[in-house]
Amino acid sequence: MRVEDLHSSDWAGVCYLTGGGSLLLSQLLSVPGASTTILDAQVPYSYEALVLLLGSKPEQACSETAARNLAMKAFMTAQHLRSTDQLFGLGITASLSTNRKKRGAIRAFVALQTMSRSQVTELKFADSRTREDQESMLADVAYSKLCAGLELASDAYPNYQTHTAIAHASHSRLYKREPVALGTRTKVYFPGAFNPLHTGHRRMHALAQELLQREVQYELSVNNVDKLPLDYFDLNERLNQFAPDEVVLTNLPYFFNKAKYLSKNGGVSFVVGIDTFARIIQPKYYNTGEQLDDVINFFIASGTKFLVFGRTVQNKFKTIKDLSMPDGLRQLCQQVDAPQFQCDVSSSTLRSET
């Protein structure tokens, strides 16, 4: 498919490339009409520039995860630049031949993010290929995968295996800018990343239902204050841990928004660990433009409550008594102490062991 055909389509997007892919970018930008399709393009070539763009340090610069993160970041930028559903984010991270000995494999990852799919392809290059040959092949394959992912043409390089995660049902709504909550509403929610869901989460869930005498729904947000949004690979994997009717999906990263949009005929309660609760009183964890006093006043006026589970930190069981917070917020809390529940298993520890 010719570059002109992409530019004549209704698609527009952003490209972020590191380590390789400059030839593709040149090809995309050198054809008339490029400005209607390519809304922005960046080449964060140094590791420091890559970290600055992504907002966090990737474990490995040339990896599937880094490429998917670049694609998601590009997709988010595209949404800020244009209001349409036909937007894409293209992320490429490559480790190609250079003038020094390479420690790892010579390869590249090409990732695509749209409102309806997440897609990633790995390319491996023979050592005998020159840098120019590698760039040419990367440009050809990446453009083919881009057009195939946008359903503009068939894939000309099926020998380079592509993994794709498609949005289920109405999940694409979660990646739009307006607040969305999908699932059965209730009065009590247990928010979390659940990466992975473990026995501690299940025990907290069961005890919360017993203490509050109400049904508790897990709440999984595709947006996180500290991280890029989940793509469909991650979202589908997290959802597979739950029964369909026990989790509410949202795009609400802040507790202020959760309390506002998840309410059902009055205030809601949240089941949280002490670490999560401590973040509520930090400025970056409530909505931009809202002052902490305003957030607390909203919690009070709306009847929002918190069931807070303590946790052992440096051989001490930490509770809300160990936190400095406004009295108004403290009055909204019910503490679960060590005799009632103590489980020091964490998702981060489990991830590090796999």
Side-chain angles (χ1 to χ4, degrees), residues 129-147:
R129 284 184 177 270
T130 64
R131 174 66 179 242
E132 291 75 17
D133 287 341
Q134 293 164 8
E135 282 281 11
S136 179
M137 178 57 70
L138 176 56
D140 290 346
V141 174
Y143 185 66
S144 175
K145 298 298 183 180
L146 169 63
C147 293

Side-chain angles (χ1 to χ4, degrees), residues 7 10 47 50 66 88 101 133 143 163 170-172 174 176 192-193 219 221 230 236 243 269 314 320 323 354:
H7 293 331
D10 293 328
Y47 182 76
L50 180 62
F88 68 84
K101 184 175 178 59
D133 287 341
Y143 185 66
H163 299 286
S170 57
H171 291 178
S172 61
L174 296 164
K176 297 184 178 182
E219 184 258 338
S221 175
L230 302 178
N236 295 344
S269 295
Q314 296 180 343
I320 58 175
L323 300 179
T354 59

Side-chain angles (χ1 to χ4, degrees), residues 225-298:
V225 178
D226 295 314
K227 302 175 184 177
L228 291 168
L230 302 178
D231 64 12
Y232 290 118
F233 290 107
D234 287 332
L235 177 58
N236 295 344
E237 182 179 14
R238 306 276 177 93
L239 283 178
N240 286 338
Q241 302 176 111
F242 300 96
D245 60 349
E246 67 176 350
V247 61
V248 172
L249 282 176
T250 77
N251 57 1
L252 310 171
Y254 304 101
F255 274 87
F256 173 82
N257 301 97
K258 295 180 197 293
K260 182 177 180 179
Y261 291 101
L262 290 174
S263 61
K264 181 181 179 183
N265 300 323
V268 297
S269 295
F270 293 109
V271 178
V272 295
I274 187 64
D275 295 342
T276 298
F277 184 77
R279 291 194 288 268
I280 294 175
I281 58 178
Q282 297 179 23
K284 71 174 181 177
Y285 289 101
Y286 52 88
N287 207 18
T288 302
E290 299 291 342
Q291 298 299 314
L292 181 57
D293 287 344
D294 295 333
V295 172
I296 294 173
N297 289 337
F298 171 80

Side-chain angles (χ1 to χ4, degrees), residues 18-20 62 93-97 102 104-108 125 131 134:
T18 184
C62 182
T93 178
S95 178
L96 305 182
S97 295
K102 304 289 291 189
I106 301 175
R107 59 181 182 172
F125 301 101
R131 174 66 179 242
Q134 293 164 8

Side-chain angles (χ1 to χ4, degrees), residues 14-18 50 53-54 56 58-77 88-94 108-114 117-122 161-166 175 195 222 227-238:
V14 172
C15 304
Y16 290 149
L17 325 170
T18 184
L50 180 62
L53 177 64
L54 294 179
S56 62
E59 292 185 5
Q60 189 174 357
C62 182
S63 64
E64 175 182 327
T65 299
R68 285 165 48 191
N69 286 344
L70 283 172
M72 179 57 78
K73 181 68 174 182
F75 178 67
M76 292 172 60
T77 302
F88 68 84
L90 180 68
I92 296 177
T93 178
F109 293 88
V110 179
L112 174 67
Q113 182 65 47
T114 70
R117 73 170 60 201
S118 303
Q119 175 181 297
V120 65
T121 305
E122 181 181 5
Q161 187 175 8
T162 297
H163 299 286
T164 303
I166 302 296
Y175 295 86
N195 182 30
V222 299
K227 302 175 184 177
L228 291 168
L230 302 178
D231 64 12
Y232 290 118
F233 290 107
D234 287 332
L235 177 58
N236 295 344
E237 182 179 14
R238 306 276 177 93

